[in-house]
Amino acid sequence: MNKAKFFKMTLTLVTIAVLSAFVLAKVDGLTREPIQKAKDARELQAIAEVVGEFDNNPFAEKMTIYTPDKKDKLVFYPARKDGKITSFAVKTFSNNGFGGRMELIAGFYINGAVKNFKVTDHKETPGLGTKVSEDAFRSQFDGFNPKRRIFKVRQDGGEIDAVTAATISSRAVVDAIQRAIDAYNHFKTGK
């Protein structure tokens, strides 16, 4: 192959690469904001599902809180009614799901009892681990106060009934909610 032909091929490839990069950058620029707005709307909807009624924008008042070991950051969303915080949500996670990381938003009553939760991202087995999102499992958390009861699945000596054949996924939900509780309690003490 002669130098002229090699140069022409190289120039063509570089031109194609530069144009492709330009087009991808433009598409990213055009879609980034709508994608973020859609993600924020889904998150606000999840907050509404786990805390109930509020008249503020918890998403606009969100703040970062840390786990007691300061290794992980979680997001705290206050839900207000008539200017007073009536409940709150925490965006939390567990890395102990059957499929790895499980993310959820947990809602709490002002006294610290669990109100509800919504799994927002997971890699759990369809038909098994995904059952942690069903009402039969979720309903047992409403009003559960981890300060007064053993907040573990029954297989570990606690009071939460795990989903049949999905104990690992059930443990991951409890782990994620416990992480939120610990971070909130750490945040309250101001340490």
Side-chain angles (χ1 to χ4, degrees):
M1 177 183 306
N2 65 25
K3 286 184 178 182
K5 194 171 188 178
F6 180 74
F7 178 75
K8 189 174 181 180
M9 282 177 35
T10 303
L11 183 62
T12 301
L13 285 173
V14 168
T15 302
I16 290 170
V18 167
L19 287 173
S20 296
F22 176 76
V23 169
L24 287 173
K26 279 294 193 186
V27 169
D28 179 61
L30 291 172
T31 59
R32 181 176 291 154
E33 187 177 332
I35 289 170
Q36 187 61 47
K37 282 183 180 179
K39 183 179 176 187
D40 291 350
R42 280 192 309 273
E43 202 163 294
L44 188 57
Q45 177 62 35
I47 293 166
E49 285 181 40
V50 301
V51 298
E53 287 188 44
F54 53 86
D55 58 14
N56 67 319
N57 181 354
F59 198 78
E61 294 184 46
K62 69 182 176 184
M63 62 184 87
T64 301
I65 61 176
Y66 294 88
T67 54
D69 61 8
K70 301 217 186 313
K71 287 184 180 180
D72 298 308
K73 293 186 233 181
L74 305 180
V75 182
F76 173 84
Y77 303 93
R80 298 177 189 273
K81 191 80 171 157
D82 300 322
K84 183 178 177 185
I85 295 177
T86 55
S87 58
F88 60 92
V90 178
K91 184 177 182 180
T92 184
F93 70 94
S94 174
N95 288 321
N96 299 325
F98 186 77
R101 186 174 177 100
M102 179 186 290
E103 296 180 3
L104 54 97
I105 295 182
F108 297 91
Y109 293 100
I110 200 67
N111 69 357
V114 180
K115 193 168 192 178
N116 200 349
F117 71 89
K118 177 162 179 78
V119 176
T120 57
D121 190 34
H122 67 86
K123 308 284 187 284
E124 302 304 287
T125 307
L128 288 175
T130 56
K131 288 186 178 184
V132 297
S133 294
E134 295 177 3
D135 286 340
F137 180 70
R138 289 176 30 176
S139 64
Q140 64 186 319
F141 288 82
D142 186 21
F144 196 105
N145 192 330
K147 292 178 186 175
R148 297 191 179 108
R149 297 171 64 193
I150 302 170
F151 193 58
K152 295 180 180 179
V153 295
R154 290 203 192 277
Q155 290 86 334
D156 298 334
E159 299 179 41
I160 300 290
D161 290 321
V163 173
T164 303
T167 304
I168 295 172
S169 302
S170 302
R171 282 182 180 127
V173 168
V174 171
D175 178 53
I177 294 172
Q178 186 64 56
R179 178 175 279 107
I181 292 165
D182 293 344
Y184 175 69
N185 289 335
H186 180 72
F187 167 74
K188 273 194 336 187
T189 61
K191 293 181 181 179

